[in-house]
């Protein structure tokens, strides 16, 4: 018994008026209980202090990086800058506009008449439901994505500080250590990110869920009963579903590490079954309430092995370093981005140097190895679960295609049954986030074990944080610039015409036929305009596509409408060029921003669409080549794979494009192209129609090339009878390599115009 406990028990005895012989045990128990209760209160109080330190720092860093503009709930401009962030916002708006249904996450404004869950636009269902409940009190324009970002930074900081407090109780050390968790590079990448990156998936920045799962494991002795632990992980499962479903696999993996510890240390198998039951039960409950089981969308996925982590990911800065250039990695490996930062890398180098120096200077290496083995035996129930979780997550992250820098060094082909389950977590590079946070935690842990002097510990961690801040200063500036200093305008490159803002409002519905034929980003931007005008849509850019049976059903219904000419007068139909050609005499057709629309009644002053079959009636065709322009549909798959940019595509050797004749025998072809003056080397590009060379250009030049060609009438596009081929052969293309792009480039083709001659 400690001196403190003896003194407290003496006070209890002095104040006790009952028989001391009959109540001696109760006095002792009361005294010890009083001590424990007092210690628990003190510990809980200090835990809150540590949490607040990290939380306040998180809030400060958030405001410094993103400013107050994103926290203005009526400011939506920064959310309309394209891709995923815009999808999340429009998903929330549609959910808010829809009537309440059960399950509560369902709405049909984007997939009319079928209901989908707000889960499938990644609109952070937890916030969506809360603010829809408050909707009558909110302004007409309301966004919560800034508040969500602030929440992420606050909780990431708070939970990170609690993890550091497990290692070192110094408030200064905790404050400094929490910065590594607050400025986690994957969070900077995912939350709002850079417009130049294809990774702005906001809900994936909720790394506080990962840190919370780690906290339960690290503070397992404070969790207490298995019922509390099971409840905590169950709540985390619920939050994962209602914030970002993918994180449930990461949290579940960390839960397995926590349970493995209890099995190894205490043979507590009952805890395993109870915790798994709670985790699974809360997951099912959350999915049911939000409508995850009520969906017309295909839940299957493919791509495991593509969206992986590179072996260099922990030291590959990508675009997130002030000092280092990106190291090459494979296509789409941005999913596994997990850069530690210069500060943390320096810490590991320093500690590694100290350990190596100590080992070299050690005179009795055998005794040192013995002490290390003894420490391992005494603590293996703590270390083994960490190693198991790290190895499993690392193997999942690098996936079946192992890539180092830009080279594939190994490929494994799992069995089909195994691949089915692996495709569920196809973006497996994200599992590297756990390795990142474990590396930060272990680095700080080793610092406090290898350097015993507390003053030196603080000096080292502060110095490392300084390096980390300097390393991240440049990318943070670029992020801050686009949200604070120079906010970008709404991305409307695929919906620039005033038609989408004005005339579209005269209709009630927007229908794609065939389903999903509008192109991803045009669909996103046009859908944004349609949502603002209150139109119902039959499809939108979602995280999953319709199930095949629903695709067939919807297309069949719309096909019947076009066959009979019985289109709805209140509906705008967005169609592909095949549908336009087939039904050109049964509807009115117009073209805006390379999108073909059909209506039952004429649009006064509308921009009439010319059929892609060149003829006397349709004397001019202009095929623009950009990511979602009409021209991309005329690339002949199999000959080449082109890389489409904002307004064109690069030639990369031998390419071929097709075009059709609706009666024309001779045409004039004009090709608008440009070179890359900084990179272009000597080389030429030859154009030919069929077997006849028509023109040759220097790859270092820019401009237009024009030539006449005889063509044959297209009898059957489906059977390839009468299709005309335009071959583009680039000699000596230059090699271009940057991050995920690795290709040969010749000239950059913007458009191909075909003019009827006879």
């Amino acid at each position: 018994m400690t001196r403190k406990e003896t003194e407290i028990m003496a006070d209890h005895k002095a104040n006790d008026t009952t028989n001391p012989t009959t109540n001696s045990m109760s006095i002792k128990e009361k005294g010890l209980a009083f001590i424990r209760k007092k210690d628990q209160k003190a510990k809980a109080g200090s835990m809150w202090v540590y949490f607040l330190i990290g939380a306040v720092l998180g809030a400060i860093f958030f405001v410094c990086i993103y400013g107050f503009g994103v926290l203005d709930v009526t400011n939506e401009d920064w959310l309309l800058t394209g891709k995923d962030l815009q999808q999340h916002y429009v998903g929330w708006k549609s959910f808010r506009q829809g009537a309440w249904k059960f399950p509560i996450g369902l709405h049909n404004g984007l997939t009319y008449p079928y209901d989908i869950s707000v889960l499938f636009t990644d609109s952070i269902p937890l916030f969506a439901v809360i603010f829809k409940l408050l909707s009558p009190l909110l302004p007409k324009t309301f966004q919560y994505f800034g508040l969500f970002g602030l929440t992420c930074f606050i909780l990431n900081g708070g939970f990170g500080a609690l993890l550091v407090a497990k290692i070192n109780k110094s408030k200064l050390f905790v404050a400094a250590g929490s910065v590594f968790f607050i400025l986690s590079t994957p969070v900077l990448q995912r939350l709002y990110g850079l417009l130049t990156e294809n990774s702005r998936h906001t809900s994936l920045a909720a790394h506080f869920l990962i840190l919370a799962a780690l906290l339960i494991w690290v503070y397992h002795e404070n969790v207490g009963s298995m019922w509390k632990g099971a409840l905590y992980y169950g709540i985390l499962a619920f939050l994962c579903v209602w914030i970002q479903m993918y994180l449930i696999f990461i949290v579940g993996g960390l839960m397995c590490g926590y349970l493995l510890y209890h099995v190894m240390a205490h043979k507590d198998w009952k805890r395993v079954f109870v915790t798994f039951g709670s985790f699974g039960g809360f997951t099912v409950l959350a999915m049911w309430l939000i409508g995850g089981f009520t969906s017309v969308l295909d839940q299957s996925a493919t791509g495991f092995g593509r969206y992986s982590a590179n072996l260099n990911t922990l030291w590959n800065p990508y675009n997130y370093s002030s000092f280092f250039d990106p190291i090459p990695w494979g296509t789409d490996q941005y999913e596994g981005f997990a850069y530690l930062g210069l500060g943390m890398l320096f810490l590991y180098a320093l500690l590694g140097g100290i350990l190596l120096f100590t080992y070299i200077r050690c005179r009795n290496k055998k005794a040192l190895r013995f002490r290390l083995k003894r420490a391992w035996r005494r603590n293996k129930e703590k270390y083994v679960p960490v190693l198991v979780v790290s190895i499993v997550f690392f193997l999942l992250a690098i996936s079946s295609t192992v890539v180092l820098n830009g080279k594939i060094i190994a490929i494994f082909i799992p069995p089909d049954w195994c691949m089915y389950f692996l495709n569920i977590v196809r973006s497996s590079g994200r599992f590297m986030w756990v390795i990142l946070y474990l590396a930060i935690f272990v680095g700080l842990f080793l610092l406090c074990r290898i350097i015993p002097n507390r003053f030196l510990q603080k000096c080292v961690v502060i110095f490392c944080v300084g390096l980390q801040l300097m390393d991240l200063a440049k990318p943070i500036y670029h992020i801050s610039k686009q949200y604070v200093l120079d906010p970008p305008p709404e991305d409307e490159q695929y919906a620039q015409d005033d038609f989408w803002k004005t005339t579209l409002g005269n209709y009630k519905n927007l229908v794609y036929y065939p389903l999903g034929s509008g192109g991803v980003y045009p669909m996103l931007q046009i859908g944004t305009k349609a949502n603002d005008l209150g139109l119902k849509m039959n499809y939108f850019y979602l995280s999953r596509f319709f199930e095949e049976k629903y695709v067939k059903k919807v297309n069949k219904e719309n096909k019947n409408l076009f066959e009979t000419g019985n289109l709805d007068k209140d509906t705008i139909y967005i169609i592909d060029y095949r549908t336009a050609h087939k039904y050109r005499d049964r509807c009115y057709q117009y073209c805006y921003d390379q999108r073909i629309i059909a209506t039952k009644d004429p649009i006064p002053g509308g921009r009439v669409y010319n059929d892609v079959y060149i003829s006397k009636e349709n004397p001019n065709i202009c095929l623009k080549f950009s990511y979602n322009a009409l021209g991309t549909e005329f690339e002949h798959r199999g000959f080449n794979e082109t890389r489409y940019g904002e307004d064109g595509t690069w030639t990369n050797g031998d390419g071929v494009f097709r075009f059709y004749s609706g009666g024309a025998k001779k045409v004039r072809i004009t090709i608008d192209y440009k070179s890359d003056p900084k990179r272009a080397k000597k080389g030429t590009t030859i154009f030919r129609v069929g077997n006849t060379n028509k023109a040759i250009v220097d790859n270092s030049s820019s401009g237009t090339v024009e030539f006449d060609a005889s063509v044959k009438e297209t009898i059957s596009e489906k059977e390839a009878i009468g299709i005309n081929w335009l071959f583009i052969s680039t000699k000596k293309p230059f090699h271009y390599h940057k991050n995920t792009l690795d290709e040969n480039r010749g000239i950059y083709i913007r458009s191909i115009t075909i003019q009827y001659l006879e």
Side-chain angles (χ1 to χ4, degrees):
M1 189 180 298
T2 65
R3 181 178 177 182
K4 181 180 178 182
E5 291 173 342
T6 304
E7 291 175 353
I8 293 175
M9 286 186 61
D11 290 340
H12 274 270
K13 277 187 178 181
N15 295 327
D16 189 69
T17 57
T18 59
N19 189 334
T21 58
T22 58
N23 292 280
S24 60
M25 291 302 295
S26 63
I27 291 171
K28 183 177 180 180
E29 290 171 357
K30 288 178 181 178
L32 292 174
F34 177 79
I35 294 169
R36 293 191 191 99
K37 189 173 182 181
K38 189 174 182 180
D39 287 344
Q40 287 173 357
K41 286 183 178 180
K43 188 176 290 185
S46 62
M47 293 282 281
W48 274 108
V49 171
Y50 294 133
F51 176 84
L52 287 174
I53 289 173
V56 170
L57 282 174
I60 292 172
F61 274 110
F62 179 86
V63 173
C64 289
I65 296 171
Y66 301 104
F68 290 100
V70 298
L71 295 174
D72 179 357
V73 295
T74 62
N75 176 17
E76 65 174 10
D77 295 344
W78 64 283
L79 294 167
L80 301 176
T81 51
K83 301 182 181 179
D84 289 340
L85 196 57
Q86 189 166 347
Q87 176 209 41
H88 310 333
Y89 178 54
V90 176
W92 145 246
K93 289 175 65 179
S94 178
F95 176 64
R96 181 188 183 184
Q97 293 165 3
W100 281 105
K101 299 183 178 184
F102 192 84
I104 59 177
L106 296 181
H107 65 111
N108 61 18
L110 304 177
T111 53
Y112 186 81
Y114 301 106
D115 289 329
I116 61 161
S117 172
V118 69
L119 190 72
F120 297 110
T121 51
D122 292 315
S123 301
I124 314 170
L126 177 65
F127 279 54
V129 170
I130 291 173
F131 288 111
K132 183 171 180 175
L133 287 169
L134 299 174
S135 188
L137 306 176
L138 302 177
K140 181 179 179 181
T141 298
F142 180 88
Q143 60 85 14
Y144 50 71
F145 295 92
L147 297 175
F148 175 75
L150 178 62
T151 302
C152 288
F153 266 66
I154 288 174
L155 294 181
N156 289 351
F159 291 162
L162 291 176
L163 285 171
V164 179
K166 185 67 177 178
I167 301 168
N168 191 313
K169 303 298 182 185
S170 165
K171 293 182 177 62
L172 179 59
F173 190 96
V174 168
S178 67
V179 173
F180 291 108
F181 294 94
I182 294 169
L183 296 181
S184 164
T185 51
V187 172
L188 293 175
Q189 175 203 31
R190 291 290 180 172
L191 184 61
Y192 309 133
L194 294 167
L195 294 179
T196 55
E197 295 175 358
N198 189 30
S199 56
R200 299 191 305 150
H201 202 147
T202 305
S203 59
L204 280 172
H207 286 202
F208 60 85
L209 296 171
I210 302 174
L211 300 180
L214 274 173
L215 277 173
I216 298 171
W217 184 357
V218 170
Y219 283 92
H220 57 85
E221 72 277 6
N222 299 89
V223 171
S225 70
M226 66 177 177
W227 300 105
K228 280 187 178 180
L231 177 62
Y232 293 159
Y233 275 113
I235 292 172
L236 281 182
F238 192 99
L239 290 174
C240 285
V241 175
W242 278 46
I243 294 176
Q244 172 47 245
M245 182 68 187
Y246 196 94
L247 295 178
I248 202 167
F249 302 109
I250 297 177
V251 170
L254 291 171
M255 180 188 72
C256 290
Y258 159 84
L259 293 174
L260 180 58
Y261 163 78
H262 280 284
V263 169
M264 292 185 65
H266 310 294
K267 309 298 183 199
D268 193 355
W269 287 99
K270 185 178 179 181
R271 185 184 295 261
V272 174
F273 295 110
V274 171
T275 305
F276 265 105
S278 173
F279 193 80
F282 273 93
T283 300
V284 172
L285 175 64
M287 286 287 287
W288 175 63
L289 285 175
I290 206 64
F293 297 122
T294 308
S295 178
V296 297
L297 303 180
D298 189 351
Q299 301 303 302
S300 63
T302 59
F304 181 80
R306 179 182 177 91
Y307 305 98
S308 60
N310 199 287
L311 289 175
N312 65 26
T313 187
L314 293 176
W315 59 88
N316 187 346
Y318 187 31
N319 295 322
Y320 290 83
S321 174
S322 302
F323 306 111
F324 307 115
D325 293 328
I327 303 172
W329 57 16
T331 303
D332 294 324
Q333 287 198 312
Y334 65 85
E335 290 286 4
F337 175 62
Y339 177 51
L340 278 168
L342 179 59
M344 188 53 59
L345 291 174
F346 174 82
L347 177 61
Y348 269 98
L350 175 66
L351 298 177
I354 293 174
L355 288 174
L356 181 61
F357 180 78
T358 304
Y359 181 76
I360 294 173
R361 292 290 301 271
C362 181
R363 295 180 179 179
N364 192 346
K365 293 182 173 59
K366 186 175 180 180
L368 177 62
R369 287 193 292 268
F370 175 77
R371 288 198 299 270
L372 291 174
K373 289 180 181 178
R374 184 174 61 183
W376 168 263
R377 286 195 297 268
R378 289 179 176 177
N379 297 282
K380 66 179 180 180
E381 69 276 2
K382 295 180 181 178
Y383 299 151
V384 169
V386 175
L387 285 174
V388 170
V389 168
S390 299
I391 292 171
V392 171
F393 276 9
F394 179 78
L395 292 176
L396 283 171
I398 63 174
S399 78
S400 57
T401 304
V402 184
V403 184
L404 176 60
N405 297 339
K407 296 182 179 180
I408 297 174
I409 61 175
I411 296 178
F412 304 96
I413 304 177
D416 290 343
W417 65 267
C418 185
M419 186 60 79
Y420 174 81
F421 291 102
L422 290 174
N423 276 326
I424 297 174
V425 292
R426 67 172 190 157
S427 299
S428 62
R430 299 169 185 173
F431 288 109
M432 194 60 75
W433 299 339
V434 175
I435 310 299
L436 170 74
Y437 291 123
L438 286 176
I440 294 173
F441 182 80
V442 171
L444 296 174
F445 172 82
L446 291 176
L447 168 62
C448 294
R449 295 300 181 271
I450 294 172
I451 302 177
N453 186 288
R454 294 188 177 183
F455 177 74
L456 285 179
Q457 291 172 5
K458 297 173 186 176
C459 290
V460 171
V461 76
I462 290 173
F463 180 77
C464 290
V465 168
L467 284 179
Q468 193 86 347
L469 291 174
M470 287 191 292
D471 190 33
L472 296 176
K474 186 176 179 180
I476 285 176
Y477 169 76
H478 288 315
I479 292 174
S480 181
K481 185 175 183 293
Q482 70 184 27
Y483 292 106
V484 181
L485 303 177
D486 188 20
E490 179 181 350
D491 186 358
E492 299 178 295
Q493 61 178 313
Y494 302 117
Q496 300 179 39
D497 200 283
D498 286 340
F499 170 85
W500 308 111
K501 302 175 185 177
T502 55
T503 309
L504 186 63
N506 298 330
Y507 297 85
K508 296 179 180 179
N509 305 297
L510 179 66
V511 168
Y512 287 94
Y513 173 62
L515 196 67
S517 62
V520 172
Y521 299 128
M523 185 181 297
L524 177 63
Q525 295 176 17
I526 293 170
T528 300
K529 310 294 186 189
N531 180 266
D532 289 340
L533 295 170
L535 275 74
K536 293 275 191 180
M537 290 170 269
N538 76 329
Y539 194 67
F540 186 66
Y541 173 37
L542 306 170
S543 62
R544 291 291 184 269
F545 195 61
F546 269 77
E547 286 187 13
E548 187 61 29
K549 63 179 180 181
Y550 290 104
V551 173
K552 291 180 179 179
K553 181 180 180 182
V554 171
N555 285 340
K556 183 178 180 180
E557 291 171 351
N558 286 313
K559 180 181 179 180
N560 291 335
L561 293 177
F562 276 91
E563 291 280 0
T564 60
N566 193 27
L567 302 183
D568 179 24
K569 66 177 182 179
D570 292 324
T571 300
I572 285 280
Y573 299 87
I574 296 182
I575 58 179
D576 62 4
Y577 76 89
R578 292 184 179 90
T579 304
H581 175 69
K582 186 175 182 179
Y583 301 113
R584 61 189 182 279
D585 299 327
R586 306 186 195 183
C587 59
Y588 294 93
Q589 297 178 3
Y590 305 91
C591 186
Y592 298 96
D593 294 309
Q594 294 287 300
R595 298 300 104 193
I596 309 169
I597 67 170
T599 59
K600 181 179 180 61
D601 299 325
I603 298 176
R607 192 173 299 121
V608 176
Y609 168 70
N610 290 324
D611 191 13
V612 293
Y613 281 66
I614 188 75
S615 64
K616 189 174 183 179
E617 294 73 27
N618 296 298
N620 289 288
I621 300 172
C622 182
L623 302 178
K624 291 185 178 180
F625 291 89
S626 64
Y627 187 72
N628 279 290
L630 184 60
T632 62
E633 299 185 58
F634 293 85
E635 178 190 349
H636 181 61
R637 303 291 179 181
F639 277 71
N640 66 334
E641 181 181 354
T642 55
R643 294 278 187 177
Y644 291 102
E646 295 299 327
D647 62 346
T649 179
W650 289 98
T651 62
N652 59 356
D654 290 325
V656 60
F657 297 90
R658 62 188 185 275
F659 61 97
Y660 312 120
S661 167
K665 296 178 181 178
K666 190 174 183 179
V667 298
R668 177 163 295 160
I669 298 176
T670 304
I671 301 170
D672 180 15
Y673 69 96
K674 70 175 183 177
S675 68
D676 186 337
K678 295 181 180 179
R679 298 180 179 272
K681 298 180 180 179
K682 291 182 179 180
T684 57
T685 296
I686 300 172
F687 300 93
R688 76 177 193 272
V689 176
N691 296 320
T692 306
N693 289 348
K694 291 295 182 180
I696 182 170
V697 300
D698 190 329
N699 290 346
S700 62
S701 64
S702 299
T704 60
V705 59
E706 187 175 272
F707 51 85
D708 296 346
S710 298
V711 294
K712 52 191 174 184
E713 184 175 1
T714 305
I715 305 301
S716 173
E717 180 183 341
K718 185 176 181 180
E719 298 176 7
I721 301 175
I723 293 180
N724 298 282
W725 304 102
L726 170 63
F727 293 91
I728 303 175
S729 300
T730 299
K731 309 299 180 184
K732 296 183 180 180
F734 67 89
H735 183 255
Y736 179 84
H737 182 88
K738 185 176 181 181
N739 288 337
T740 60
L741 289 180
D742 190 356
E743 61 189 11
N744 291 323
R745 289 183 171 183
I747 58 174
Y748 189 69
I749 296 179
R750 289 174 167 173
S751 65
I752 298 176
T753 302
I754 306 172
Q755 180 183 358
Y756 174 86
L757 294 180
E758 61 179 62

